[in-house]
Amino acid sequence: MLFCLLLIYVSTKGLMSFPCSQSFSVLEVTFLLFLGSGEVSGIRGFNLRNGLSLWRKHLVKHNKGAYICCSFSTEKDPLLPSVQQLTDARVIYSVSAALGHNKDSHPECSARVPAIVTALEKNELTRKFRGSEILELANFKNATIEDIANVHEKAYVLGLEKAMGEASDSGLIFIEGSGPTYATSTTFQDSLIAAGAGMALVDSVVTASRNSFDPPTGFALIRPPGHHAVPKGPMGFCVFGNVAIAARHAQRAHGLTRVFIIDFDVHHGNGTNDAFSEDPDIFFLSTHQDGSYPGTGKMSDIGKGKGEGTTLNLPLPGGSGDIAMRTAFEEIIVPCVQRFKPDLILVSAGYDAHVLDPLANLQFTTGTYYSLAKDIKQLAKEVCGGRCVFFLEGGYNLESLSASVADSFRALLGEESLASEFDNPAYLYDEPMRKVRDAIERAKSIHCL
């Protein structure tokens, strides 16, 4: 009888009493129904929220929010670092420069990742200078076609593989109708490597979190980028959705059901948005320049079906900069993450909102990216045991890109920013804060923040 009553309570009242965007896994609801038939339901003051809290506390072993499946371990993969190496590290990164995937004079060219690696060396932000606190994940498995097909339609994946013959004959082909996304003979393999690098970082960070309250933060320095690639195909320089593939991998390999994706690229991550628009367990939050490519990411897009409320798009007016992003972080990102209570945070880290970047019109600085990295790392530590991985997306001015990534590394290491040595205040102008304020207030209203 109690079981039936609680079932009615959950379906008609309990879930409706939670804030916007709050959702539960099948496992959580099943447990709550079980509570209704047992002694716990007789505790004075017991309610649905208390029951859920008890369930989550029962699952947490080492870190907050940890729903970790113990069937996977890097110890079983000789290509990945040992548990001790992971525990000692503060930052773990992977590099996939995709040198064969290149088109001369194209913004998304093969010079991007090498420029970052050179900056890390110049700024003494590698293992050579820092010892065990910085770890490069030099060996990892490529993603498989099945891994990619967890996000993209298999017909697209197999079609791209077949197109490599044409790319080899022609030297270069365009694989998107509008033209900006190209492929060479190595693009398919390079894209599998990039996706595999992100998955391996998730594996490493999750493994470290089982043994440390402060695991290393991962950073995938990879290309081709991914957040525009839609389930049906490529788009906007992007081939496979690296961050989306990693999110699915975290769920399937590690049991990390609830994943929060923060996308601060200047362009809307429409591919990631579309992949998870109906998924209540993956929250996608994008800040991007209003009206920029690809024209998606309207504030009214909040997901659909079971995923309604777990998509938040915040288009920022042109000219938005450090103040706007800091305000958005404090008033939008933080409360959303805290309410969703993810098991893992993934970041689509686009550096093309920098004031020097040629493809858009926001005015972030190197200091903006330092603050974002620092604050996201702290937020992950508070809500999900520090499990967090960054994925390189856009960024097409090689100087601002490399300087900003280097300063992001400093933030993740807990060191002071050197942004003042690169940023020039003369490039900045007044931010349109009234428009920014209006956008933030509207987003807060839509999402009950």
Side-chain angles (χ1 to χ4, degrees):
M1 181 64 180
L2 286 173
F3 182 94
C4 295
L5 289 174
L6 188 57
L7 176 59
I8 295 171
Y9 175 79
V10 169
S11 61
T12 63
K13 179 180 178 183
L15 296 182
M16 299 302 294
S17 67
F18 279 78
C20 298
S21 304
Q22 181 70 29
S23 60
F24 306 94
S25 68
V26 173
L27 190 60
E28 289 172 342
V29 173
T30 301
F31 176 75
L32 292 175
L33 296 178
F34 169 76
L35 289 178
S37 63
E39 295 182 0
V40 179
S41 61
I43 297 176
R44 184 183 302 274
F46 173 80
N47 56 37
L48 185 62
R49 186 184 295 275
N50 291 340
L52 181 60
S53 178
L54 288 171
W55 171 237
R56 285 176 169 161
K57 287 179 180 178
H58 172 71
L59 287 176
V60 172
K61 287 190 175 182
H62 295 292
N63 299 313
K64 297 176 182 178
Y67 297 43
I68 301 175
C69 171
C70 296
S71 62
F72 183 95
S73 173
T74 57
E75 293 291 318
K76 300 177 183 178
D77 189 341
L79 296 179
L80 296 179
S82 68
V83 171
Q84 188 59 56
Q85 287 177 303
L86 293 171
T87 302
D88 291 342
R90 303 183 70 182
V91 173
I92 177 170
Y93 69 100
S94 57
V95 176
S96 181
L99 298 180
H101 176 76
N102 182 58
K103 181 181 183 298
D104 292 339
S105 76
H106 195 284
E108 209 294 290
C109 64
S110 62
R112 296 179 65 229
V113 172
I116 295 171
V117 173
T118 298
L120 294 178
E121 287 284 342
K122 181 179 178 181
N123 288 275
E124 300 185 354
L125 292 169
T126 63
R127 188 176 184 84
K128 174 182 176 182
F129 302 99
R130 300 303 185 96
S132 61
E133 69 176 0
I134 297 182
L135 181 62
E136 180 181 354
L137 190 61
N139 298 302
F140 47 84
K141 295 177 181 177
N142 296 350
T144 65
I145 290 176
E146 288 69 30
D147 293 325
I148 307 300
N150 287 330
V151 170
H152 296 284
E153 293 185 3
K154 200 164 187 176
Y156 159 54
V157 182
L158 296 176
L160 180 63
E161 183 180 26
K162 291 180 181 178
M164 291 300 94
E166 180 186 348
S168 181
D169 294 338
S170 304
L172 184 144
I173 60 174
F174 287 98
I175 55 175
E176 180 189 345
S178 59
T181 311
Y182 64 88
T184 66
S185 61
T186 67
T187 294
F188 182 75
Q189 187 67 16
D190 287 337
S191 299
L192 293 181
I193 294 171
M199 292 167 58
L201 283 173
V202 168
D203 295 339
S204 299
V205 168
V206 171
T207 297
S209 73
R210 297 193 186 108
N211 300 276
S212 171
F213 288 101
D214 189 17
T217 304
F219 207 123
L221 301 174
I222 57 177
R223 55 179 296 274
H227 73 151
H228 291 310
V230 296
K232 293 184 178 180
M235 186 174 178
F237 310 166
C238 300
V239 179
F240 294 148
N242 300 312
V243 74
I245 292 163
R248 283 287 184 238
H249 176 68
Q251 291 178 319
R252 292 169 183 251
H254 301 286
L256 299 182
T257 305
R258 298 170 72 79
V259 181
F260 200 104
I261 300 173
I262 300 171
D263 187 329
F264 56 69
D265 192 279
V266 77
H267 305 110
H268 177 238
N270 60 296
T272 315
N273 188 121
D274 292 354
F276 302 129
S277 62
E278 297 185 59
D279 191 331
D281 291 322
I282 296 184
F283 197 116
F284 175 69
L285 189 156
S286 175
T287 62
H288 47 274
Q289 182 180 331
D290 192 12
S292 65
Y293 178 91
T296 53
K298 305 300 182 184
M299 205 175 295
S300 57
D301 183 355
I302 62 171
K304 55 188 177 181
K306 294 181 179 179
E308 184 174 335
T310 55
T311 296
L312 190 155
N313 286 300
L314 179 60
L316 295 171
S320 297
D322 182 73
I323 299 173
M325 194 63 225
R326 193 183 321 128
T327 306
F329 189 87
E330 293 173 355
E331 299 189 24
I332 300 292
I333 296 177
V334 170
C336 274
V337 172
Q338 289 176 337
R339 185 169 69 188
F340 188 69
K341 295 181 175 62
D343 308 318
L344 170 72
I345 294 176
L346 301 179
V347 184
S348 274
Y351 290 84
D352 44 2
H354 197 284
V355 65
L356 297 181
D357 198 274
L359 296 191
N361 188 34
L362 294 188
Q363 50 173 337
F364 288 11
T365 64
T366 305
T368 309
Y369 292 113
Y370 173 90
S371 296
L372 278 168
K374 178 182 178 182
D375 292 343
I376 291 173
K377 177 180 175 66
Q378 180 59 35
L379 187 58
K381 188 174 181 180
E382 293 172 359
V383 301
C384 58
R387 288 182 292 277
C388 181
V389 181
F390 287 66
F391 292 72
L392 180 66
E393 298 285 0
Y396 307 104
N397 178 302
L398 297 185
E399 291 186 1
S400 63
L401 169 65
S402 55
S404 297
V405 173
D407 226 41
S408 296
F409 268 53
R410 292 191 188 92
L412 300 178
L413 290 166
E415 299 178 359
E416 292 186 3
S417 171
L418 295 183
S420 61
E421 297 181 7
F422 181 83
D423 292 334
N424 185 347
Y427 291 129
L428 305 177
Y429 49 94
D430 290 341
E431 297 182 40
M433 287 309 299
R434 187 173 68 178
K435 292 183 178 179
V436 170
R437 188 74 257 166
D438 288 346
I440 289 176
E441 289 302 322
R442 185 181 169 207
K444 289 169 68 174
S445 175
I446 290 173
H447 290 271
C448 307
L449 296 174

